[in-house]
Amino acid sequence: MSSLKKSDKKAALDFAAWSFNVTTSVGIIMVNKALMATHGFSFATTLTGLHFVTTTLMTIVFRWLGLSQPSHLPLADLIKFVIFSNLSIVGMNVSLMWNSVGFYQIAKLCMIPASCLLEVVFDHVHYSRDTKLSIMVVLIGVAVCTVTDVSVNARGLIAAVIAVWSTALQQYYVHFLQRKYSLNSFNLLGHTAPAQAGSLLLVGPFVDFLLTGKRVDHFNFSSLALFFLMLSCFIAIGVNLSQFICIGRFSAVSFQVLGHMKTVLVLSLGFLFFGKEGLNLQVVLGMVLAVLGMIWYGNASAKPGGKERRSVLPVRSASLKGSSEEKGGAEK
């Protein structure tokens, strides 16, 4: 009976974590669309730096309130994480500029196979046939509803490859660092957010000038633009925190697969609030196929043998007991 209650509690917490991530992610996309498309603030890299400034402030407040305990993250691991994260952010922005929208979407879909490969190589994860097929269904569904024109050029391809692998490594590293150093989401953000805020605010204006030909310090803020900027930074706290919570509870692959629910919701809300241009039977079928694939993945990966880690990463003494219980166990 107690084990049933424990599993019910875990399921409720899992659902809450996903709901938190989906809600904040979809919300920030809609707010940023208004900020950039309507009010002309097109400085995406600098905006991300500001997001990490507010996230840093949140970690400081949580530490002051005693909700986050002191922890240790070696400088070498912090530097590697910041490099992966910042290459991911800059790479995605550059890839969107240098590639067609269709090829950009294909590159984003490639993050799932890349994340799978990292888990197979470094964590010795084994996927069942049903789990692999469900991932394929999700990829096909999202491709059907998002990929339109596809054109490739050399520099765009290089940017896409950098974006895909740096994003996969960043998300893998979130899970890796939390397990290795027994860090919770607040602890890890407390280490990484200040470094990302400083580095992105340093390079962001130059990257944005390269991409847009405009200087962020010359932008003329209206009161509405300033409101949407502040709202974006506030929601970003939830996005950054929920990403670390979800990847810590699950894995980078599960985060990527089930995260495409956000793609479906963004498309649906876009058609609802910004007009039905582009809405057709192909898009609807693609969204339905993607959702069915996500449901299948959730069921397949939860079954015994659906997704198993066959070796356990050594962790610090504080979590040795918890780790030993995971050995050979299935991971959602």
Side-chain angles (χ1 to χ4, degrees), residues 38-73:
T38 306
H39 298 284
F41 189 86
S42 55
F43 310 100
T45 310
T46 303
L47 178 62
T48 307
L50 293 173
H51 288 169
F52 280 108
V53 169
T54 54
T55 302
T56 299
L57 293 176
M58 180 272 294
T59 62
I60 292 172
V61 170
F62 272 52
R63 194 176 297 121
W64 179 67
L65 293 173
L67 299 175
S68 177
Q69 302 303 317
S71 58
H72 173 69
L73 179 64

Side-chain angles (χ1 to χ4, degrees), residues 31 34-35 38-39 219 221-231:
V31 169
L35 176 64
T38 306
H39 298 284
F219 183 77
F221 279 99
S222 65
S223 55
L224 267 178
L226 189 59
F227 168 76
F228 279 112
L229 176 65
M230 294 173 65
L231 182 59

